[in-house]
Amino acid sequence: MTPEVDAVVVGAGFAGLYLVHRLREHGFSVRVFEAGDDIGGTWYWNRYPGARVDIPSLDYMFSFDPDWQRDWQWSEKYATQPEILRYLNHVADKFDLRRDITLGTRVTRAHWADGGWRVRTDCGDDVACRFLVMATGCLSIPKEPDIAGIETFRGETFYTNRWPHEPVNFTGRRVGVIGTGSSGIQSIPLIAAQAAHLTVFQRTPCFSIPAHNGPVSEEKEAALADEPAYRAAARASFGGVPQERTLIPTFAVPEAYRQQRYERAWQIGELLETLNMFSDLMSNPAANESFADFVRDKIRATVDDPHIAELLCPTGYPVGAKRLCLDTDYFATFNESHVRLVDLRTQPLVGVTETGVETVGESFEFDTLVLATGFDAITGAVAAVDIVGRDGLALKTKWAQGPSTYLGLTTSGFPNLFLITGPGSPSVLSNMAVSIEQHVELVADTMAYLRAHGFDTIEPTPTAEAGWMQHVADAGAITMFPQANSWYVGANIPGKPRVFMPYAAGVDFYGAACADVIGRNYLGFQLTGPAGSQCHDGVVRRLQPDVQMVLEMVAALNPPPLESLPVELARAAMSEANSTRPPGPDVGEIIDGGFPGAAGELDYRLYRPPTPGPHPVVVYFHGGGWVLGDARSDDPLCRDLCLRTDALIVSMNYRHAPEHPFPAAIDDGIAALRWAADNAATLGGLPDRLAVAGWSAGGNIAAVVCQWARDHGGPRISGQLLLTPATDTQPYPSYQDNAEGYGLTTPLRRWFAELYGGPADDPRRAPLRGDLTGLPPAMVVTCEFDPLRDEGNAYAAALAAAGVPTEHIQARGHTHLSTTMVDLVVSGVPVRDQMAEALRRFLTSPRA
Ligand code: N01
């Protein structure tokens, strides 16, 4: 195929306009098809009263033009639709973009054949090109009306997302509005200001905060004084507006401060600022509910009629999980006597009639109907084009169970197809302007790279794509974003597969992943051309997203390797690090006490659940390579386990190396077990229900005391929980695979082992070398990126082979330390849940 142009771009909104500019700069020819009669995309179609941007205008604009301030000024913090459309026209004119854009022309099909794309339009165009770029926007295909009888209405019907170009006058009219998402919430106050009577049909109330719109603030203008730095900070931020991620969890601050923080966000009126108030707002249900309560109280304080206020209060889904709205006087509108709210949950919609709307039990007559019913979001516009890739594969078929992409930008089977802000990229969770610019630049740079290196095509590998989709799913799963019936998950479109589509780990992490892909020679892409092909296959992100964040934070501090420090300083460094971590949840009671170790008094810390006792008992041994730590050093994990298991957790100290090498820790572990079993009742525990647990070196001690107790007639142990245990002294492949970069390093492991000592084949040092028959049921947790992974795996396999009932969790994307990071690594929650479930199971039956 001889291409007529290098690239066909579908859509002339923000993305399409910038593509023209950027591709031209690289010397590529480009042809843009735009279905609308003019440029602007979203801002061309959504002309309803009150339509505004919900990211501050100074952030929601192109950054590629350093000279913009000479010829453009925003009149408000959040510009109106007409002003944004004027801005886009201004940019198009300034950079002479229109000459490559064909308006009023819809791309209907694009088929891959003979090394290029053949693109057809509804106006008869048939264009051959090398690259196809879908710049079709995330919210551009209106949701098909699913309201019976909508076509029979004899009055006027308007859709917010296809609003007429001439002003609509509601004066003296009886108006019904269906839909209370962002479009409804923005338009309702302005329609109410004109209409004789307005009825709002609400199915799901939305969380909304006041926009506090007005002139651009002096602070904002001052922040842009160093514009390159400001724009760079936007790209390095989580949402595409300069802002540091907060690290403070909701309940780490006093109630009064928390309320002040909510109030401040309420007064600022910015979405990303609000979602960033506390680190766990979108991950901890209790934290989310706390802010949701604050918003509901604000609604109650605004709306005069308590019954209407309750109907407007969103419940049953997390705040933020449907896109948070920004409003101007939305809730106060319901205080007006000519405005009525109809709650479709208690009074379901039957349909539209010739004269109005029918609900169960009531008929309404209207002159005008406004539908603010939303979009077939994120995938709708891509699926609307008949796209067929290699080997006759239709994109619609490939995505029938949900979209699958590499970086939200490309998809395997479809060479040279780029999706701007596609599913699996930060897209709608970010400032779209920033995400669009980043994607457009990536596309243009990639095309230039191919040309420079003699390649014609680029396509992601199935491995890279599957890895990315797993990462996207992981990033969503550690948040509450997927938990509402929203357009984020496609729930608003009947029959659409429920998949959380945006990438939730942030613009910053996304940008770093893209940079990694390129830095590793287009990792996960197959590049082909006359000169040959190139493919560095692989997965760009394999760690859980929050684990990666923690590792990057730690790496930024550049701490000295512990093994390079004298032991005392290493202990101090660990205590210091522990003092800055989130404290973990409150438990019923914490008691510090002492017990007789094998060679003298040692201390313990007991965690009691808030429920009435007596409770089963878990004897717990801390981690720290037999060198570091004490009875308190695993405090957050012990608190968490205590609450999840509803058991007493008794964290027992033991003597540490090098002062007390092997077998001091084991001797103390045995003494601790015997003392805890003998004193269970005094501690408030059930003497016949006792399990052991331990992490890392503590897992080693827990495993060894189980073998010892079996051989010495007790104490009887109901079960053993071994979290990333040290079980052997031989080297394993994981020592090399995970030698550096994952917290516990292989050199540090070696340092611990050397300080502790002990004969390599002594089962008290290497429990894997012991007799494993007749041991208590076990749960073994191993982590993918842990030097100790393989010896833990070996122990789990050997226990099972010896007939011990064994559950083995292989925590994907986790490190030696990450599952213990309570309130920091949310992806560890399911692992800790399973650990607690196992302990509860062990502890429900009395020791036989
Ligand atoms: O659409 P939506 P939108 N019967 O899907 C209701 C962006 N945006 O156009 O929630 C009765 O959010 C539906 O009810 P339910 C922004 O990202 C930005 O408002 O399905 N009701 C819901 O109330 C936003 O999130 C701005 O129960 C029906 C409403 O219609 C996105 O666009 C402004 C119904 C649809 O809400 C979409 O917002 C506007 C039925 N059959 C939009 N079908 C800015 O501020 C649907 N509904 C930049």
Side-chain angles (χ1 to χ4, degrees):
M1 185 199 71
T2 313
E4 295 157 47
V5 286
D6 293 314
V8 162
V9 171
V10 187
F14 254 90
L17 293 175
Y18 188 37
L19 274 159
V20 175
H21 178 69
R22 198 73 185 186
L23 291 177
R24 272 188 201 163
E25 270 191 342
H26 279 282
F28 291 112
S29 56
V30 56
R31 181 128 190 233
V32 181
F33 291 107
E34 166 56 56
D37 289 334
D38 209 340
I39 62 163
T42 287
W43 301 105
Y44 172 81
W45 297 105
N46 290 269
R47 296 161 180 260
Y48 59 85
R52 287 176 190 274
V53 61
D54 61 4
I55 294 285
S57 294
L58 274 167
D59 297 295
Y60 186 81
M61 64 183 298
F62 290 119
S63 71
F64 71 83
D65 175 11
D67 199 26
W68 67 272
Q69 295 200 52
R70 284 203 313 165
D71 45 41
W72 190 261
Q73 279 193 330
W74 293 108
S75 65
E76 288 176 287
K77 172 183 171 188
Y78 296 116
T80 58
Q81 172 271 332
E83 186 170 355
I84 301 168
L85 193 57
R86 276 201 302 280
Y87 168 71
L88 292 176
N89 275 282
H90 159 78
V91 172
D93 293 341
K94 181 172 178 180
F95 293 93
D96 186 23
L97 304 179
R98 287 176 182 277
R99 70 184 147 88
D100 288 326
I101 301 173
T102 307
L103 297 170
T105 306
R106 185 176 288 279
V107 170
T108 51
R109 68 175 254 175
H111 287 198
W112 176 259
D114 302 329
W117 287 98
R118 185 124 222 159
V119 179
R120 300 223 178 120
T121 73
D122 62 354
C123 296
D125 303 274
D126 184 355
V127 184
C129 59
R130 181 78 64 207
F131 298 94
L132 174 65
V133 191
M134 299 298 287
T136 36
C138 293
L139 294 156
S140 43
I141 294 286
K143 172 186 159 166
E144 290 282 328
D146 57 354
I147 299 171
I150 188 76
E151 67 293 341
T152 62
F153 182 59
R154 289 205 306 256
E156 292 176 305
T157 306
F158 299 107
Y159 289 85
T160 49
N161 46 38
R162 289 292 179 269
W163 201 261
H165 287 214
E166 54 288 350
V168 175
N169 190 353
F170 295 100
T171 308
R173 307 224 141 212
R174 296 165 302 166
V175 184
V177 175
I178 301 177
T180 53
S182 293
S183 305
I185 281 178
Q186 284 186 335
S187 57
I188 283 164
L190 292 169
I191 296 172
Q194 287 187 346
H197 195 274
L198 171 64
T199 306
V200 175
F201 295 91
Q202 169 191 271
R203 189 163 64 185
T204 309
C206 253
F207 288 97
S208 184
I209 63 169
H212 295 298
N213 202 14
V216 176
S217 69
E218 284 175 15
E219 293 90 335
K220 190 79 184 178
E221 284 189 349
L224 265 122
D226 181 354
E227 189 173 355
Y230 185 89
R231 301 293 181 198
R235 288 203 181 190
S237 70
F238 71 95
V241 173
Q243 224 174 63
E244 293 219 354
R245 280 174 194 268
T246 181
L247 296 176
I248 302 170
T250 301
F251 299 110
V253 300
E255 171 71 15
Y257 175 83
R258 192 155 55 240
Q259 294 299 325
Q260 276 170 23
R261 187 69 192 83
Y262 294 157
E263 184 63 38
R264 196 163 89 229
W266 187 263
Q267 294 308 332
I268 290 172
E270 292 185 18
L271 297 187
L272 293 170
E273 156 75 22
T274 304
L275 295 177
N276 191 40
M277 284 183 300
F278 292 106
S279 59
D280 57 353
L281 181 68
M282 288 312 297
S283 59
N284 175 353
N288 190 281
E289 189 62 10
S290 165
F291 179 56
D293 278 341
F294 173 87
V295 178
R296 287 188 284 260
D297 284 346
K298 287 286 190 188
I299 296 170
R300 290 181 188 116
T302 308
V303 178
D304 298 340
D305 180 332
H307 175 63
I308 302 290
E310 282 319 305
L311 294 181
L312 287 165
C313 281
T315 52
Y317 68 92
V319 53
K322 273 173 178 273
R323 191 182 175 91
L324 191 58
C325 300
L326 276 186
D327 73 271
T328 302
D329 297 333
Y330 172 66
F331 294 111
T333 301
F334 293 92
N335 293 334
E336 308 219 9
S337 57
H338 70 299
V339 177
R340 173 165 173 203
L341 180 70
V342 174
D343 176 32
L344 296 178
R345 292 164 301 178
T346 50
Q347 189 178 337
L349 192 65
V350 176
V352 172
T353 63
E354 289 186 2
T355 53
V357 168
E358 186 91 17
T359 65
V360 170
E362 201 172 349
S363 298
F364 299 82
E365 296 214 334
F366 296 120
D367 305 307
T368 307
L369 269 183
V370 173
L371 281 104
T373 43
F375 300 87
D376 182 355
I378 304 180
T379 51
V382 179
V385 179
D386 167 27
I387 299 178
V388 175
R390 238 181 344 97
D391 306 326
L393 177 64
L395 190 59
K396 254 189 266 187
T397 308
K398 179 177 173 185
W399 285 8
Q401 300 310 313
S404 174
T405 68
Y406 184 37
L407 302 173
L409 184 73
T410 57
T411 186
S412 70
F414 298 82
N416 293 2
L417 169 67
F418 293 110
L419 311 160
I420 304 298
T421 63
S425 75
S427 61
V428 292
L429 293 184
S430 69
N431 174 359
M432 287 298 282
V434 166
S435 287
I436 284 171
E437 282 197 333
Q438 189 262 357
H439 259 187
V440 167
E441 287 162 21
L442 200 55
V443 169
D445 292 349
T446 299
M447 285 170 56
Y449 177 92
L450 296 178
R451 182 178 57 193
H453 292 80
F455 298 119
D456 293 334
T457 64
I458 180 167
E459 184 187 334
T461 68
T463 304
E465 183 167 313
W468 183 254
M469 291 318 291
Q470 180 65 62
H471 179 59
V472 171
D474 288 344
I478 57 174
T479 73
M480 299 168 75
F481 282 114
Q483 292 178 16
N485 290 327
S486 69
W487 56 262
Y488 290 153
V489 296
N492 63 330
I493 304 295
K496 193 165 173 174
R498 190 181 178 110
V499 175
F500 180 68
M501 294 179 278
Y503 175 66
V507 169
D508 45 359
F509 281 83
Y510 178 77
C514 293
D516 266 10
V517 166
I518 291 163
R520 292 160 74 183
N521 289 320
Y522 283 85
L523 176 74
F525 281 111
Q526 171 89 40
L527 315 184
T528 55
S533 64
Q534 164 190 315
C535 181
H536 299 276
D537 204 0
V539 171
V540 66
R541 288 287 179 265
R542 295 174 60 208
L543 285 161
Q544 290 288 341
D546 45 4
V547 174
Q548 173 117 22
M549 282 180 209
V550 171
L551 287 173
E552 287 179 14
M553 267 159 36
V554 174
L557 299 172
N558 197 17
L562 284 180
E563 67 273 19
S564 69
L565 302 174
V567 168
E568 277 316 314
L569 282 187
R571 287 179 182 148
M574 186 174 124
S575 303
E576 171 68 22
N578 283 352
S579 70
T580 60
R581 68 192 164 174
D586 286 339
V587 296
E589 186 184 27
I590 291 182
I591 297 174
D592 291 324
F595 74 97
E601 183 83 354
L602 291 167
D603 54 2
Y604 70 81
R605 172 166 277 194
L606 178 146
Y607 303 83
R608 195 186 309 285
T611 51
H615 298 95
V617 180
V618 177
V619 176
Y620 177 83
F621 300 106
H622 65 265
W626 304 281
V627 173
L628 313 176
D630 55 37
R632 295 165 197 79
S633 54
D634 294 354
D635 207 63
L637 175 66
C638 290
R639 289 166 180 266
D640 190 79
L641 275 182
C642 171
L643 288 189
R644 286 180 200 275
T645 51
D646 199 31
L648 293 182
I649 307 288
V650 198
S651 172
M652 316 295 295
N653 206 0
Y654 47 87
R655 285 166 296 157
H656 295 105
E659 299 88 337
H660 305 284
F662 174 88
I666 295 299
D667 293 344
D668 287 337
I670 292 164
L673 172 70
R674 295 173 65 173
W675 178 84
D678 291 347
N679 292 277
T682 321
L683 295 173
L686 293 162
D688 61 348
R689 299 190 192 192
L690 180 144
V692 296
W695 170 39
S696 189
N700 169 278
I701 297 170
V704 173
V705 300
C706 286
Q707 296 186 15
W708 184 90
R710 176 202 55 198
D711 297 341
H712 292 79
R716 305 296 290 269
I717 298 172
S718 302
Q720 49 179 327
L721 166 66
L722 311 177
L723 173 57
T724 59
T727 69
D728 202 2
T729 49
Q730 306 302 310
Y732 285 85
S734 55
Y735 288 14
Q736 263 138 47
D737 298 349
N738 302 321
E740 294 281 351
Y742 303 116
L744 174 66
T745 63
T746 294
L748 180 58
R749 192 215 67 84
R750 192 179 314 118
W751 187 66
F752 286 146
E754 283 168 6
L755 291 178
Y756 184 50
D761 54 358
D762 186 328
R764 293 174 305 159
R765 172 66 183 82
L768 185 62
R769 309 273 146 193
D771 169 15
L772 302 186
T773 55
L775 290 174
M779 167 170 273
V780 181
V781 179
T782 55
C783 292
E784 187 178 3
F785 296 99
D786 178 4
L788 302 194
R789 177 194 65 204
D790 293 347
E791 63 193 74
N793 288 348
Y795 199 64
L799 283 172
V804 176
T806 303
E807 241 186 292
H808 181 195
I809 298 179
Q810 295 177 281
R812 185 177 50 74
H814 278 281
T815 66
H816 189 72
L817 302 124
S818 59
T819 59
T820 71
M821 293 179 172
V822 176
D823 289 339
L824 207 55
V825 172
V826 178
S827 58
V829 169
V831 178
R832 293 198 303 277
D833 246 347
Q834 285 172 279
M835 297 195 314
E837 206 176 290
L839 281 173
R840 278 202 307 272
R841 232 181 6 257
F842 298 154
L843 293 165
T844 43
S845 46
R847 286 180 286 157

